[in-house]
Amino acid sequence: MSPLVVDARGHHCPVPSLRLRKALEAAAPGATVVLLADDPMARIDVPHLLLDGPHRLVSVDEVDGALRFSVASGGRPD
């Protein structure tokens, strides 16, 4: 299954995290959601968003001047 890609490049805090949260709410458990963001604050905001689960940050890479966050969906919290 291909990951769902959320392209939030060009947007500033808190938009990248809000778009990621919306995508994760709709994602099936076990799905991968990839967030692309060029706001440096995303490096702080995204891990903070994921602190309480059920989603898990898999990796953070820098690609072509943007941050690429791979997140595994844990499903919707009860």
Side-chain angles (χ1 to χ4, degrees):
M1 177 189 283
S2 297
L4 171 63
V5 177
V6 177
D7 189 348
R9 291 176 289 187
H11 296 277
H12 298 286
C13 174
V15 174
S17 293
L18 294 174
R19 288 191 175 177
L20 175 61
R21 182 174 65 195
K22 186 173 182 177
L24 287 167
E25 287 172 356
T32 299
V33 178
V34 172
L35 171 68
L36 301 174
D38 53 10
D39 181 359
M41 288 301 295
R43 193 178 291 276
I44 297 167
D45 292 344
V46 170
H48 186 264
L49 170 71
L50 302 172
L51 275 178
D52 294 330
H55 314 295
R56 182 176 56 85
L57 183 61
V58 176
S59 66
V60 181
D61 302 299
E62 200 162 327
V63 178
D64 296 329
L67 296 168
R68 183 181 186 274
F69 298 89
S70 292
V71 179
S73 171
R76 295 180 192 109
D78 293 330

